Amino acid sequence: MILYINCCARQESRTHRLAKAVLQKLGGEYTELKLYKENLRPLDSKSLNRRTELIERGDYSDKMFDYAKQFASADTIVISAPYWDLSFPAPLKTYIENIYVTGIVSAYNEKGMPVGLCGANELYYVTTAGGPYDPTFSYGYIESLAKNFFGIAQTRLVKAEMLDIDGNNAEKILNREIKNWT
Ligand SMILES: Cc1cc2nc3c(=O)[nH]c(=O)nc-3n(C[C@H](O)[C@H](O)[C@H](O)COP(=O)(O)O)c2cc1C
């Protein structure tokens, strides 16, 4: 199963357009999670306590673990998120808080080192940026989580940048990137 995690806020999102080209190339069939439509909430005192209690009991039957289970069982993951404030929009961080469950996406071995439990072989991170793109706090962070904690060996960045620079033809830049996937 290809899991498409869509964190694009705008109806006419260019990032989503680029992601659709990638998804088409990957086979065209996927399960889409529209993060702006999901009922995702940041962890707070109450949900964190409940979650910790359940994890300590090894009880993963609660619905709160459904997102983590879905993420862990995907074969391929595609994330789309525009470049916002040197990073990505907040719903993606909220999603990560919700899926990063020890015992489902990651575990610790006897030496206390993280071991990934996810089944996906690859993760695509698709983004577009108004200016020059610096991956440090977006793709770089996702790559580190995927490789070092989730057990996803391959990650790939797909991007179109400089779209909002005066004088640049955003459509032309975007279509050039889209063409690489068609
Ligand atoms: C809230 C917000 C923050 C942004 N921050 C940055 C930024 O830090 N650097 C940058 O180059 N572009 C920034 N942009 C521009 C977007 O990255 C750019 O327009 C992108 O293509 C939007 O993607 P979309 O068409 O999928 O919505 C920002 C745009 C918004 C709305």
Side-chain angles (χ1 to χ4, degrees):
M1 182 258 293
I2 296 176
L3 178 62
Y4 173 39
I5 301 157
N6 177 347
C7 189
C8 299
R10 298 191 315 126
Q11 198 75 37
E12 63 281 26
S13 167
R14 301 178 290 206
T15 315
H16 176 57
R17 273 172 63 198
L18 184 52
K20 278 200 296 190
V22 174
L23 287 159
Q24 203 56 43
K25 185 83 175 181
L26 293 175
E29 272 194 34
Y30 53 88
T31 299
E32 181 172 2
L33 261 188
K34 294 179 179 166
L35 295 191
Y36 281 92
K37 298 243 165 90
E38 295 293 322
N39 190 23
L40 281 158
R41 294 180 59 82
L43 289 170
D44 60 15
S45 164
K46 198 171 158 215
S47 56
L48 192 53
N49 281 340
R50 168 118 182 96
R51 185 170 93 150
T52 306
E53 191 193 308
L54 289 170
I55 292 172
E56 277 170 4
R57 286 216 308 262
D59 177 358
Y60 297 100
S61 61
D62 195 281
K63 275 181 76 65
M64 75 162 75
F65 299 121
D66 286 357
Y67 287 112
K69 288 177 191 166
Q70 182 189 44
F71 186 90
S73 67
D75 301 310
T76 302
I77 291 163
V78 176
I79 298 175
S80 69
Y83 188 45
W84 276 15
D85 309 331
L86 303 185
S87 182
F88 44 68
L92 183 54
K93 182 60 175 71
T94 302
Y95 175 75
I96 291 164
E97 283 182 16
N98 278 266
I99 60 144
Y100 198 154
V101 179
T102 305
I104 300 181
V105 297
S106 189
Y108 293 96
N109 65 18
E110 61 286 350
K111 289 184 182 144
M113 299 303 286
V115 185
L117 300 180
C118 291
N121 297 318
E122 48 184 0
L123 179 150
Y124 294 80
Y125 185 87
V126 183
T127 195
T128 66
Y133 179 67
D134 173 351
T136 310
F137 304 113
S138 50
Y139 172 69
Y141 164 64
I142 298 291
E143 179 186 34
S144 182
L145 278 178
K147 290 183 176 165
N148 303 325
F149 298 90
F150 297 164
I152 303 171
Q154 280 203 70
T155 63
R156 186 158 171 189
L157 171 66
V158 180
K159 66 174 164 71
E161 59 191 330
M162 310 294 277
L163 299 185
D164 299 333
I165 300 293
D166 264 358
N168 278 3
N169 185 335
E171 273 302 300
K172 205 170 157 192
I173 298 170
L174 185 66
N175 284 329
R176 196 173 53 219
E177 297 304 329
I178 287 174
K179 228 173 154 199
N180 287 335
W181 295 90
T182 49

mmCIF file of all heavy atoms in Angstrom, residues 7 23 26 29 43 51 56 59 82 94 96 121 156 173 181:
data_model
loop_
_atom_site.group_PDB
_atom_site.id
_atom_site.type_symbol
_atom_site.label_atom_id
_atom_site.label_comp_id
_atom_site.label_asym_id
_atom_site.label_seq_id
_atom_site.Cartn_x
_atom_site.Cartn_y
_atom_site.Cartn_z
ATOM 1 N N CYS A 7 -0.108 17.222 3.276
ATOM 2 C CA CYS A 7 -0.119 18.331 4.238
ATOM 3 C C CYS A 7 -0.107 19.671 3.493
ATOM 4 O O CYS A 7 0.617 20.600 3.861
ATOM 5 C CB CYS A 7 1.060 18.223 5.200
ATOM 6 S SG CYS A 7 0.958 19.417 6.567
ATOM 7 N N LEU A 23 3.110 10.194 -7.440
ATOM 8 C CA LEU A 23 2.193 9.091 -7.144
ATOM 9 C C LEU A 23 1.784 8.356 -8.420
ATOM 10 O O LEU A 23 1.677 7.123 -8.445
ATOM 11 C CB LEU A 23 0.944 9.627 -6.429
ATOM 12 C CG LEU A 23 1.186 10.053 -4.970
ATOM 13 C CD1 LEU A 23 0.108 11.021 -4.500
ATOM 14 C CD2 LEU A 23 1.254 8.833 -4.056
ATOM 15 N N LEU A 26 4.475 6.112 -9.408
ATOM 16 C CA LEU A 26 4.580 4.953 -8.511
ATOM 17 C C LEU A 26 3.471 3.924 -8.739
ATOM 18 O O LEU A 26 3.449 2.896 -8.085
ATOM 19 C CB LEU A 26 4.549 5.412 -7.048
ATOM 20 C CG LEU A 26 5.755 6.247 -6.567
ATOM 21 C CD1 LEU A 26 5.540 6.730 -5.142
ATOM 22 C CD2 LEU A 26 7.037 5.433 -6.659
ATOM 23 N N GLU A 29 -2.131 4.102 -7.582
ATOM 24 C CA GLU A 29 -3.090 3.699 -6.538
ATOM 25 C C GLU A 29 -2.498 3.985 -5.175
ATOM 26 O O GLU A 29 -1.373 3.555 -4.888
ATOM 27 C CB GLU A 29 -3.390 2.213 -6.656
ATOM 28 C CG GLU A 29 -4.531 1.954 -7.598
ATOM 29 C CD GLU A 29 -5.074 0.548 -7.480
ATOM 30 O OE1 GLU A 29 -5.074 -0.011 -6.376
ATOM 31 O OE2 GLU A 29 -5.483 0.038 -8.525
ATOM 32 N N LEU A 43 -0.370 16.233 21.034
ATOM 33 C CA LEU A 43 -0.427 15.560 22.335
ATOM 34 C C LEU A 43 -0.539 16.604 23.439
ATOM 35 O O LEU A 43 0.141 17.627 23.399
ATOM 36 C CB LEU A 43 0.837 14.732 22.542
ATOM 37 C CG LEU A 43 0.966 13.479 21.669
ATOM 38 C CD1 LEU A 43 2.366 12.905 21.794
ATOM 39 C CD2 LEU A 43 -0.080 12.446 22.043
ATOM 40 N N ARG A 51 -1.726 7.718 26.661
ATOM 41 C CA ARG A 51 -0.890 6.984 25.713
ATOM 42 C C ARG A 51 0.241 6.238 26.436
ATOM 43 O O ARG A 51 0.499 5.069 26.176
ATOM 44 C CB ARG A 51 -0.323 7.962 24.684
ATOM 45 C CG ARG A 51 0.467 7.273 23.596
ATOM 46 C CD ARG A 51 0.797 8.241 22.495
ATOM 47 N NE ARG A 51 2.094 8.843 22.701
ATOM 48 C CZ ARG A 51 2.871 9.251 21.705
ATOM 49 N NH1 ARG A 51 2.452 9.154 20.463
ATOM 50 N NH2 ARG A 51 4.032 9.792 21.947
ATOM 51 N N GLU A 56 2.798 1.301 28.201
ATOM 52 C CA GLU A 56 3.425 0.541 29.293
ATOM 53 C C GLU A 56 2.731 -0.806 29.509
ATOM 54 O O GLU A 56 3.369 -1.792 29.852
ATOM 55 C CB GLU A 56 3.428 1.366 30.587
ATOM 56 C CG GLU A 56 4.602 2.327 30.613
ATOM 57 C CD GLU A 56 4.545 3.348 31.746
ATOM 58 O OE1 GLU A 56 3.618 3.265 32.574
ATOM 59 O OE2 GLU A 56 5.436 4.219 31.766
ATOM 60 N N ASP A 59 -0.777 -2.352 25.422
ATOM 61 C CA ASP A 59 -2.120 -2.417 24.855
ATOM 62 C C ASP A 59 -2.236 -1.390 23.718
ATOM 63 O O ASP A 59 -2.368 -0.203 23.960
ATOM 64 C CB ASP A 59 -3.149 -2.124 25.954
ATOM 65 C CG ASP A 59 -4.574 -2.112 25.416
ATOM 66 O OD1 ASP A 59 -4.761 -2.297 24.198
ATOM 67 O OD2 ASP A 59 -5.496 -1.899 26.223
ATOM 68 N N PRO A 82 4.326 21.972 1.728
ATOM 69 C CA PRO A 82 5.046 23.160 1.239
ATOM 70 C C PRO A 82 6.081 23.625 2.266
ATOM 71 O O PRO A 82 5.999 23.270 3.444
ATOM 72 C CB PRO A 82 3.935 24.201 1.071
ATOM 73 C CG PRO A 82 2.819 23.749 1.951
ATOM 74 C CD PRO A 82 2.905 22.259 2.018
ATOM 75 N N THR A 94 2.116 17.542 14.042
ATOM 76 C CA THR A 94 1.076 16.906 14.863
ATOM 77 C C THR A 94 0.911 15.440 14.451
ATOM 78 O O THR A 94 0.779 14.557 15.305
ATOM 79 C CB THR A 94 -0.255 17.668 14.710
ATOM 80 O OG1 THR A 94 -0.036 19.012 15.103
ATOM 81 C CG2 THR A 94 -1.350 17.069 15.565
ATOM 82 N N ILE A 96 3.199 13.533 13.128
ATOM 83 C CA ILE A 96 4.372 12.783 13.600
ATOM 84 C C ILE A 96 4.240 12.470 15.099
ATOM 85 O O ILE A 96 4.523 11.360 15.540
ATOM 86 C CB ILE A 96 5.669 13.543 13.270
ATOM 87 C CG1 ILE A 96 5.889 13.539 11.753
ATOM 88 C CG2 ILE A 96 6.875 12.922 13.977
ATOM 89 C CD1 ILE A 96 6.887 14.543 11.256
ATOM 90 N N ASN A 121 9.881 0.567 2.330
ATOM 91 C CA ASN A 121 11.256 0.573 1.828
ATOM 92 C C ASN A 121 11.700 1.973 1.470
ATOM 93 O O ASN A 121 12.871 2.297 1.514
ATOM 94 C CB ASN A 121 11.359 -0.285 0.565
ATOM 95 C CG ASN A 121 11.037 -1.711 0.856
ATOM 96 O OD1 ASN A 121 11.463 -2.243 1.885
ATOM 97 N ND2 ASN A 121 10.258 -2.341 -0.014
ATOM 98 N N ARG A 156 13.778 10.088 -0.348
ATOM 99 C CA ARG A 156 14.080 10.877 -1.540
ATOM 100 C C ARG A 156 13.360 12.223 -1.471
ATOM 101 O O ARG A 156 12.188 12.275 -1.107
ATOM 102 C CB ARG A 156 13.605 10.083 -2.756
ATOM 103 C CG ARG A 156 13.997 10.717 -4.027
ATOM 104 C CD ARG A 156 14.007 9.736 -5.158
ATOM 105 N NE ARG A 156 14.190 10.485 -6.392
ATOM 106 C CZ ARG A 156 14.075 9.983 -7.579
ATOM 107 N NH1 ARG A 156 13.790 8.716 -7.742
ATOM 108 N NH2 ARG A 156 14.250 10.731 -8.652
ATOM 109 N N ILE A 173 8.753 26.397 -13.915
ATOM 110 C CA ILE A 173 9.644 25.662 -12.993
ATOM 111 C C ILE A 173 8.938 24.404 -12.487
ATOM 112 O O ILE A 173 9.500 23.308 -12.482
ATOM 113 C CB ILE A 173 10.056 26.555 -11.795
ATOM 114 C CG1 ILE A 173 10.841 27.787 -12.271
ATOM 115 C CG2 ILE A 173 10.874 25.759 -10.787
ATOM 116 C CD1 ILE A 173 11.072 28.835 -11.188
ATOM 117 N N TRP A 181 8.762 13.282 -13.831
ATOM 118 C CA TRP A 181 8.031 12.130 -13.282
ATOM 119 C C TRP A 181 7.001 11.587 -14.261
ATOM 120 O O TRP A 181 6.234 10.693 -13.894
ATOM 121 C CB TRP A 181 7.360 12.518 -11.962
ATOM 122 C CG TRP A 181 8.387 12.827 -10.938
ATOM 123 C CD1 TRP A 181 8.966 14.034 -10.672
ATOM 124 C CD2 TRP A 181 9.020 11.893 -10.072
ATOM 125 N NE1 TRP A 181 9.916 13.894 -9.700
ATOM 126 C CE2 TRP A 181 9.954 12.596 -9.308
ATOM 127 C CE3 TRP A 181 8.876 10.518 -9.856
ATOM 128 C CZ2 TRP A 181 10.757 11.971 -8.350
ATOM 129 C CZ3 TRP A 181 9.667 9.897 -8.909
ATOM 130 C CH2 TRP A 181 10.599 10.623 -8.174
#
